[in-house]
Amino acid sequence: MEYYVTAEIIRMGGFILMATVISAAAVIFAGMLGAYAQGIATSKAVEGISKNPESRGEVMSTLIVGCAITETNGIYALLISFILLFVNPIFNAFTAWAAF
Amino acid sequence: MNLDNRAFFTIDVFTDFLEGGIWITETHINTWIIMLIMIILALIIRRKLTKTDTPTGIQNVIELIVDMFDKFIISNLGEKNRKYGNWFFGVFTFLIFANFSGLIGLRPPTADITMTLALSMSTFFIIHIGGFMYNPKGYAKSFLEPFFVFLPMNIIGELAVPVSLGLRLFGNILSGMIILSIIYYIVPWFLAIGWPALLHAYFDVFAGLIQAFIFTVLSLTFISGKLIEKEA
């Protein structure tokens, strides 16, 4: 089997790698929004505790569960960026196509 | 970097439909090590326990923990469903040991999606089998709420539970492991003395405890949704 690596294919590969890294970095925005939402939730919880100190235990456990659910979004984004960076599915598909 | 989950050896069975047989990876070995540690600890503690009204030493601590967890289960699931506490205490302690195993240089088994998905699938089956056995009519009705049109959405919602539970634990532990591996990779060894302990304290101990707690609490929340009969 013979392979022909042309300048065109190298340029396309570089472009795909660049796009992969940029999209992996862009996923950070999901984490930013999740952090913002958690900040809102925590500030409201602190307000609630300061108004009503004896409800501390219940507010804390609800807050932790709520923050965990909010965090799921950020975790999904993190997994997507890990897959883009370490597994390289798009680049692998490209090399499989280019070797053809 | 030990990011890859390397295979120690393979067992050549079922080779016609599994590529390369069954792979025994680092996750398996570390899980076995953790199981061994937990079993030995349990046996040692078991030997110290006695039936007295005035417990001393380690029995105090164990009774405190078990009592706390029992109260927690009863407040979440009710007195009738106390038996589920056995499973959840096991999962909770196992998750704590597994998340802390990064402290002694092992790759945490929970940084592997097969492990976390296995645990969350167990939760899924407990939710559905337990819910069906507890209250068959109410269980069937919970899929048709508020109208029967919502049936597909309810099914998708139920299927999303184990996925989100498993991925949350996996993502948290994996991200901590990757950050620590990157730090050990880019910092020369003579500079990486002492201060990475702080990072281990955050990523392994704090995040590990929080994630073990959250996995248990969220599983309990989802199960109590099916087990506790709704009023009116």
Side-chain angles (χ1 to χ4, degrees):
Chain A
M1 199 195 251
E2 287 178 44
Y3 295 103
Y4 299 99
V5 180
T6 60
E8 183 71 9
I9 284 179
I10 292 176
R11 221 175 292 138
M12 277 170 79
F15 181 74
I16 287 174
L17 273 184
M18 194 180 76
T20 308
V21 173
I22 288 176
S23 46
V27 164
I28 297 292
F29 281 104
M32 271 167 58
L33 291 177
Y36 180 65
Q38 285 190 0
I40 291 176
T42 313
S43 77
K44 293 283 176 193
V46 171
E47 270 176 32
I49 291 175
S50 63
K51 273 179 198 158
N52 198 357
E54 63 267 23
S55 69
R56 187 171 182 280
E58 278 178 37
V59 172
M60 277 294 278
S61 57
T62 317
L63 174 70
I64 287 178
V65 172
C67 276
I69 291 175
T70 317
E71 211 184 331
T72 313
N73 199 2
I75 296 285
Y76 287 162
L78 184 79
L79 287 178
I80 291 170
S81 106
F82 278 158
I83 289 171
L84 283 175
L85 286 177
F86 294 111
V87 188
N88 272 325
I90 301 168
F91 190 69
N92 290 347
F94 171 73
T95 46
W97 171 80
F100 185 45
Chain B
M1 277 197 283
N2 63 342
L3 290 186
D4 52 330
N5 191 11
R6 59 178 189 276
F8 278 86
F9 56 92
T10 55
I11 301 172
D12 294 327
V13 288
F14 309 126
T15 36
D16 24 337
F17 55 90
L18 284 176
E19 199 181 330
I22 296 175
W23 289 48
I24 303 297
T25 59
E26 221 177 328
T27 306
H28 293 100
I29 308 279
N30 292 353
T31 312
W32 290 337
I33 294 172
I34 290 163
M35 277 160 62
L36 201 70
I37 294 173
M38 282 177 72
I39 289 171
I40 290 172
L41 259 180
L43 287 178
I44 291 173
I45 291 171
R46 172 73 189 80
R47 281 171 64 91
K48 301 242 170 167
L49 296 188
T50 48
K51 261 193 173 173
T52 60
D53 288 334
T54 52
T56 51
I58 194 144
Q59 189 167 353
N60 258 325
V61 183
I62 301 296
E63 283 192 7
L64 183 75
I65 295 171
V66 171
D67 211 43
M68 226 161 65
F69 205 83
D70 245 12
K71 272 185 195 147
F72 184 65
I73 294 285
I74 288 172
S75 73
N76 269 293
L77 294 183
E79 184 71 48
K80 261 193 267 178
N81 299 309
R82 202 174 159 176
K83 56 178 184 284
Y84 291 100
N86 300 335
W87 159 255
F88 281 109
F89 192 66
V91 167
F92 183 63
T93 38
F94 174 73
L95 282 180
I96 285 180
F97 273 79
N99 293 344
F100 282 13
S101 66
L103 290 177
I104 53 171
L106 298 174
R107 187 186 196 276
T110 34
D112 188 342
I113 193 157
T114 48
M115 165 59 83
T116 58
L117 271 187
L119 287 174
S120 61
M121 285 308 283
S122 317
T123 299
F124 177 75
F125 283 115
I126 291 179
I127 291 174
H128 290 283
I129 296 174
F132 181 73
M133 277 164 52
Y134 186 75
N135 185 6
K137 233 184 225 170
Y139 174 76
K141 211 177 152 223
S142 72
F143 279 98
L144 302 175
E145 277 173 357
F147 314 110
F148 68 94
V149 193
F150 282 79
L151 177 69
M153 266 169 263
N154 281 332
I155 290 175
I156 291 171
E158 293 299 331
L159 289 179
V161 165
V163 176
S164 74
L165 265 181
L167 282 183
R168 180 180 299 119
L169 184 59
F170 167 67
N172 269 296
I173 305 300
L174 181 80
S175 61
M177 197 196 77
I178 286 181
I179 289 170
L180 285 170
S181 306
I182 288 174
I183 280 170
Y184 283 128
Y185 183 69
I186 62 172
V187 177
W189 65 268
F190 52 88
L191 286 181
I193 297 171
W195 62 268
L198 290 175
L199 295 174
H200 275 290
Y202 179 76
F203 286 114
D204 285 339
V205 178
F206 179 71
L209 257 180
I210 290 272
Q211 289 309 317
F213 178 70
I214 278 172
F215 187 90
T216 321
V217 169
L218 282 183
S219 305
L220 279 174
T221 314
F222 289 129
I223 288 173
S224 70
K226 293 280 180 207
L227 283 187
I228 292 176
E229 283 166 278
K230 293 185 186 77
E231 280 89 35

